[in-house]
Amino acid sequence: MTTLREELRDVHPGRQGLGVGLAIGVTIPGLLLRFLHPELPHPEEALILGVAIVGAAFLLSWAAEVAQLDISAGLAIAVLAFIAVLPEYAVDMVFAWKGGNAVQAYGAACHPPGAPGETACSLALANMTGANRLLIGIGWSLVVLLAWFRSRTRPSGRLTEIRLDRPHAVEVSFLALATLYSLSLPLKGSITLLDAAVLVGIFAAYTWRISRAPAEEPHLVGPARLIGTFRVRRRRLSVLGMFLFAAAVIVACAEPFADSLVQTGRQLGISEFLLVQWLAPLASEAPELLVAGLYAWRLNTNAGLGTLVSSKVNQWTLLVGTLPIVFALASSGAAGLPIDAHQREEILLTAAQSFFALAVLASLSISVREALMLFTLFWAQFIIGAVVPESAGGLERIIVSGAYLVLGLVLFVRQAPLIGSLLRDGLRTSYETLNARSGSEGP
């Protein structure tokens, strides 16, 4: 087994230091735009601010990886996954806050009478559903397919599936709890504070459970590997400085980025809903997808997929759960974040995708065929939507949701004997026992 000391021999200070410098450098135009307020077209504003958030997200990702040297392994994975999606949280909170203000000002319509475009409430849910679906449809499948391609020259043969170590039953079990609860959300007219309590409670229980994992040496890649070679004091100060700087950039740029993205859609005649649902999450989660891809390229598939599964737990619990809390604070009331008909279909599609992905991962493995199914079904909505007439509004989301649910049920039935032991291991079994069983063939 490769030790951290051996891994850190492969350090290229010039190249890896340049990566940190570039990440910092691309944030500067965004900060100048934020505080100097020059007159620029909205598309240019969105690009500059979006790139600044991407740069900050890279800094957060590297700092979180290095922080694993100083905190327990399980907690480090949870912290890494949470911090990596922090930019996504920031943008979504902006829309939830604006939605609360709109409801306070205009009532349940969440919009000025006769005003064009999507409501802020709708955009908050759009950003959340897009982020969750990207993570599985692109992220999970990316790890498997990259590992399959990279292993083509292995003497032992090409990888046709990747497996998670047994301790990852914890993430999968808590994802199961969140997913089962999320299937009730499309049946509601709003995401309420009760929903928030349940989902944030699941996240809190997950964090407590995973914090009990024993410490182990992390696998550092890219600039994180360089920072990991620093002496303890310098390393910790570097990590703290990167955290603080990146967080400041994200806080400063999140609101103007959200505003410029909406205005760009209106100016160019592009649906602001689509821009917020796909472009914003893609920008904020690019570093996390890149880190997972690097792990897969190095055939460290357990770390790559494990990080993305943990991120999915975070987004499906904490992100969804905090939206109605922020909305309630902004609206000065206890009403839930409203769900319109379109958003109900989007939430159904997102919950159905999570259900299918959970069924795939019940064996703690994903095959190349299953990864292709995740990838294909992710794009199916857009392909079907291109041929379905607009008058059938939302039919493509219903069709794909049904496909996810049916396929998920088939997989769960086939793997029924595995479910009990998976949940028992994920919710109760000690990490010592799970680690001892990591080499077993199945759950």
Side-chain angles (χ1 to χ4, degrees), residues 56-57 59-60 86 90 240-254:
L59 294 174
L60 281 177
L86 185 59
L240 179 62
M242 291 168 72
F243 276 148
L244 294 177
F245 177 77
V249 171
I250 291 168
V251 169
C253 296

Side-chain angles (χ1 to χ4, degrees), residues 139-151 154 158-165 168 292-293 295-309 360-371 374 440-441:
W140 290 20
S141 54
L142 172 72
V143 170
V144 180
L145 297 176
L146 271 179
W148 171 80
F149 176 79
R150 181 65 168 144
S151 64
R154 281 200 326 165
R158 174 174 273 183
L159 287 171
T160 57
E161 72 170 11
I162 65 174
R163 297 191 62 83
L164 289 173
D165 290 344
H168 286 295
Y295 281 136
W297 190 254
R298 294 167 182 260
L299 298 183
N300 185 2
T301 53
N302 183 67
L305 183 58
T307 298
L308 293 182
V309 173
V360 168
L361 210 55
S363 61
L364 291 183
S365 66
I366 300 181
S367 68
V368 171
R369 185 178 67 175
E370 290 167 338
L374 287 172
S440 62
E441 289 295 323

Side-chain angles (χ1 to χ4, degrees), residues 9-20:
R9 289 175 186 166
D10 183 22
V11 172
H12 306 281
R15 185 175 65 195
Q16 292 162 342
L18 178 63
V20 176

Side-chain angles (χ1 to χ4, degrees), residues 18-96:
L18 178 63
V20 176
L22 286 174
I24 294 173
V26 298
T27 67
I28 303 305
L31 290 173
L32 293 175
L33 177 61
R34 171 65 177 84
F35 293 108
L36 298 182
H37 306 290
E39 291 294 329
L40 292 176
H42 293 303
E44 291 183 21
E45 288 182 350
L47 176 62
I48 292 171
L49 293 166
V51 169
I53 290 175
V54 170
F58 271 108
L59 294 174
L60 281 177
S61 179
W62 295 328
E65 287 183 76
V66 180
Q68 296 178 71
L69 296 172
D70 299 304
I71 58 179
S72 76
L75 183 59
I77 292 174
V79 170
L80 170 60
F82 170 70
I83 290 176
V85 297
L86 185 59
E88 176 62 37
Y89 282 66
V91 173
D92 220 351
M93 294 308 112
V94 168
F95 287 118

Side-chain angles (χ1 to χ4, degrees), residues 25-251:
V26 298
T27 67
I28 303 305
L31 290 173
L32 293 175
L33 177 61
R34 171 65 177 84
F35 293 108
L36 298 182
H37 306 290
E39 291 294 329
L40 292 176
H42 293 303
E44 291 183 21
E45 288 182 350
L47 176 62
I48 292 171
L49 293 166
V51 169
I53 290 175
V54 170
F58 271 108
L59 294 174
L60 281 177
S61 179
W62 295 328
E65 287 183 76
V66 180
Q68 296 178 71
L69 296 172
D70 299 304
I71 58 179
S72 76
L75 183 59
I77 292 174
V79 170
L80 170 60
F82 170 70
I83 290 176
V85 297
L86 185 59
E88 176 62 37
Y89 282 66
V91 173
D92 220 351
M93 294 308 112
V94 168
F95 287 118
W97 186 268
K98 288 179 177 292
N101 288 338
V103 166
Q104 187 179 40
Y106 308 111
C110 194
H111 212 46
E118 299 281 346
T119 69
C121 300
S122 176
L123 293 177
L125 293 172
N127 199 43
M128 178 273 288
T129 54
N132 273 282
R133 298 216 294 273
L134 271 173
L135 199 59
I136 291 177
I138 299 297
W140 290 20
S141 54
L142 172 72
V143 170
V144 180
L145 297 176
L146 271 179
W148 171 80
F149 176 79
R150 181 65 168 144
S151 64
R152 68 192 185 281
T153 58
R154 281 200 326 165
S156 58
R158 174 174 273 183
L159 287 171
T160 57
E161 72 170 11
I162 65 174
R163 297 191 62 83
L164 289 173
D165 290 344
R166 195 64 192 178
H168 286 295
V170 174
E171 287 98 319
V172 177
S173 296
F174 280 95
L175 179 57
L177 297 180
T179 297
L180 290 176
Y181 188 80
S182 72
L183 289 171
S184 70
L185 297 181
L187 305 176
K188 302 181 177 183
S190 64
I191 303 178
T192 66
L193 292 177
L194 176 60
D195 299 320
V198 172
L199 292 170
V200 175
I202 293 173
F203 173 78
Y206 163 68
T207 303
W208 177 85
R209 174 80 164 104
I210 204 170
S211 68
R212 306 180 73 81
E216 62 182 32
E217 293 180 342
H219 303 278
L220 304 180
V221 296
R225 178 168 293 194
L226 172 63
I227 300 168
T229 64
F230 295 170
R231 293 183 181 275
V232 174
R233 178 179 174 80
R234 183 186 175 196
R235 183 183 73 223
R236 291 177 177 173
L237 287 175
S238 298
V239 168
L240 179 62
M242 291 168 72
F243 276 148
L244 294 177
F245 177 77
V249 171
I250 291 168
V251 169

